């Protein structure tokens, strides 16, 4: 039977007399926080702050936040702050004072570089120097994890737990929000999948504990687990893989890697759901808009507030381990992938080049990858 307890949540008493707790753990609360921010709902940090994602902020919630009193500020990454010519006194994070008369339009203009060329100076923009940036750093981490623009309104608040409970808001520790540990990956299912490159195909689905996107492993043939497997870390690219976009070389690389594995009779393609170098499809399209204004792919990411590459290649290494592989011949032009696999305990016995897909539309993109990201093209 069910027993209700106001402080402990709902518990199920089993025949043994042992109670099973239904309250969400930290991982589950972080997943809720990401979903809340995407919907424009505030979240509360246990360290003492209310956080609202700038991208999903509404005028009504901005007004409600002001009614709480205190001095809200806008958390930005140092990359975005540099575009605004605002000092980042906290290293990777800048805290921007929110003017008393700041409107929703002002907040969005500071957070979104869509109109930087028309109005590059949003002033006055004042960076805060005194105080601790821990809450702001956690807010940035949450917005990035939610695949939103890395910008958030942060309001210090006393008795955070009581406020969250009274407002029915998700409460998470700031330290957990910025933890960069890899969420455990669980194999969910695998099934035979005949492919044009090989009828001996099999698709494996892996799901992380933190509720983020699932990742896939396409196994060609039956690779010998005792030998280095031909593999590729391929990040999802909706525009290139599915639509045949000419702005990148992702689609040709995907098909070229599978074709080579089919020709050799064995291999594993790790299809990681890290669209747009880990920033998500919406932000990737924002970057494309900036590229149309003359910025290269790295500059566009920086203007949005992201690093050159936000992907986590540890995911691929973990999947290979779960599948029983300890060594690989890695199909890549990116030395960073080789280094990351090695650091995660996967031996890379050979880097196998994959030079396909250059055309008139992506020549500059590939040149930037070579010059600024170290790709061997």
């Amino acid at each position: 039977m069910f027993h209700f307890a106001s402080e402990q949540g709902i518990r199920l008493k089993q025949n043994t007399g042992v109670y099973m707790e239904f309250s969400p753990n930290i991982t589950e609360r972080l997943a809720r926080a990401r979903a809340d921010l995407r919907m424009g709902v505030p979240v509360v940090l246990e360290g003492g702050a209310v956080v609202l994602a700038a991208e999903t902020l509404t005028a009504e919630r901005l007004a409600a936040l002001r009614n709480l009193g205190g001095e809200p500020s806008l958390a930005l990454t140092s990359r975005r702050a540099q575009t605004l010519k605002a000092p980042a006194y906290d290293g990777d994070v800048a805290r921007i004072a929110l003017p008393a008369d700041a409107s929703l339009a002002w907040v969005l203009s500071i957070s979104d570089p869509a109109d930087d060329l028309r109005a590059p100076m949003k002033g006055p923009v004042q960076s805060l120097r005194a105080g601790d940036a821990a809450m702001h750093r956690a807010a940035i981490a949450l917005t990035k994890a939610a695949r939103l623009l890395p910008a958030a309104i942060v309001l210090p608040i006393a008795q955070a737990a009581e406020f969250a409970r009274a407002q029915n808001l998700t409460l998470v520790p700031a330290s957990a929000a910025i933890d960069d540990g890899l969420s455990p990956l669980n194999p969910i299912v695998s099934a035979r999948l005949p492919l044009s490159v090989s009828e001996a195909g099999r698709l494996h689905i892996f799901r992380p504990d933190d509720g983020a996107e699932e990742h896939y492993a396409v196994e060609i043939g039956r690779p010998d687990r005792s030998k280095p497997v031909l593999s590729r870390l391929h990040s999802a690219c909706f525009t290139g893989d599915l639509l045949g976009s000419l702005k990148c070389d992702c689609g040709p690389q995907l098909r070229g890697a599978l074709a080579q594995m089919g020709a050799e009779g064995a291999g594993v393609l790790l299809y990681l759901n890290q669209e747009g170098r880990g920033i998500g499809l919406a932000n990737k399209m924002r970057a494309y808009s900036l590229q149309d204004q003359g910025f290269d792919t790295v500059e566009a990411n920086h203007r949005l507030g992201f690093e050159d590459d936000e992907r986590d290649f540890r995911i691929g290494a973990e999947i290979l381990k779960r599948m029983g592989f300890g060594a690989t011949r890695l199909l890549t032009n990116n030395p960073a992938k080789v280094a990351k696999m090695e650091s995660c305990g996967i031996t890379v016995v050979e880097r196998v080049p994959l030079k396909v897909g250059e055309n008139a539309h992506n020549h500059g993109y590939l040149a930037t990858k070579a010059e600024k990201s170290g790709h061997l093209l």
Side-chain angles (χ1 to χ4, degrees):
M1 62 182 296
F2 286 96
H3 295 261
F4 296 86
S6 59
E7 293 299 321
Q8 299 300 321
I10 300 175
R11 292 178 172 178
L12 178 63
K13 186 175 183 181
Q14 301 180 350
N15 294 335
T16 60
V18 176
Y19 287 90
M20 183 172 67
E21 182 61 64
F22 276 82
S23 298
N25 60 28
I26 295 297
T27 298
E28 292 159 345
R29 284 158 56 191
L30 285 169
R32 283 186 178 181
R34 295 193 299 270
D36 287 348
L37 290 174
R38 287 179 64 84
M39 294 185 293
V41 178
V43 301
V44 181
L45 297 174
E46 284 182 1
V50 179
V51 173
L52 275 160
E55 180 179 339
T56 54
L57 184 67
T58 64
E60 292 76 17
R61 285 223 156 101
L62 178 59
L65 191 75
R66 290 192 180 283
N67 289 337
L68 294 176
E71 297 182 356
S73 55
L74 180 62
L76 297 176
T77 68
S78 59
R79 294 295 191 184
R80 178 62 186 151
Q82 184 178 14
T83 296
L84 300 168
K85 298 179 174 58
Y89 294 118
D90 302 298
D92 59 333
V93 173
R95 293 171 291 142
I96 305 299
L98 200 67
D101 61 348
S103 64
L104 175 63
W106 186 89
V107 172
L108 294 178
S109 72
I110 295 292
S111 308
D112 189 342
D115 62 349
D116 279 349
L117 289 184
R118 295 193 302 275
M121 296 303 294
K122 317 283 184 171
V125 177
Q126 177 188 355
S127 296
L128 301 176
R129 187 191 295 265
D132 186 11
M135 299 296 105
H136 297 73
R137 191 165 284 110
I140 290 295
L142 284 172
T143 53
K144 280 188 175 184
R147 299 292 189 261
L148 298 171
L149 284 169
I153 299 290
V154 179
L155 175 68
I157 190 168
Q159 299 179 318
E162 290 80 358
F163 178 79
R165 186 160 46 246
Q167 296 291 321
N168 197 26
L169 298 175
T170 301
L171 177 71
V172 296
S175 58
I178 59 178
D179 180 12
D180 67 349
L182 181 65
S183 179
L185 287 161
N186 304 300
I188 301 303
V189 66
S190 65
R192 187 177 65 88
L193 183 66
L195 302 171
S196 59
V197 298
S198 172
E199 293 185 5
R202 194 168 190 84
L203 182 63
H204 305 258
I205 309 298
F206 291 83
R207 181 179 298 159
D209 278 353
D210 64 3
E213 297 93 340
E214 294 171 348
H215 305 284
Y216 321 128
V218 183
E219 184 175 10
I220 301 298
R222 292 292 181 265
D224 187 341
R225 266 58 176 174
S226 67
K227 297 179 180 179
V229 61
L230 180 65
S231 68
R232 171 164 173 78
L233 297 170
H234 188 90
S235 299
C237 179
F238 171 76
T239 52
D241 297 344
L242 186 62
L243 302 182
S245 168
L246 299 177
K247 284 181 68 71
C248 64
D249 57 344
C250 300
Q253 285 192 324
L254 171 65
R255 288 178 281 277
L258 286 173
Q260 186 163 341
M261 292 173 189
E264 294 195 13
V268 174
L269 185 134
L270 303 161
Y271 197 89
L272 310 181
N273 275 307
Q274 302 188 111
E275 180 80 45
R277 295 186 182 177
I279 66 176
L281 183 58
N283 287 322
K284 174 180 166 179
M285 290 300 98
R286 290 185 171 110
Y288 275 15
S289 294
L290 292 172
Q291 289 172 34
D292 287 342
Q293 296 175 16
F295 300 103
D296 67 35
T297 181
V298 171
E299 293 167 342
N301 266 28
H302 290 178
R303 295 186 81 84
L304 288 168
F306 295 104
E307 294 302 317
D308 304 22
D309 195 334
E310 299 271 352
R311 290 174 293 181
D312 190 346
F313 295 125
R314 295 177 300 176
I315 297 168
E318 182 63 21
I319 292 176
L320 279 182
K321 290 178 182 177
R322 295 301 298 266
M323 294 179 69
F325 297 103
T328 179
R329 297 166 51 227
L330 192 62
L331 272 162
T332 185
N333 303 321
N334 186 357
K337 290 183 178 180
V338 175
K340 180 55 68 175
M341 296 292 273
E342 292 276 4
S343 70
C344 292
I346 298 292
T347 301
V348 180
V349 300
E350 180 187 2
R351 184 188 70 82
V352 182
L354 187 61
K355 299 179 181 180
V356 294
E358 183 171 358
N359 61 67
H361 295 274
N362 66 19
H363 178 76
Y365 162 82
L366 294 177
T368 298
K369 287 210 298 186
E371 177 184 352
K372 295 187 175 182
S373 302
H375 288 228
L376 302 175
L377 300 175

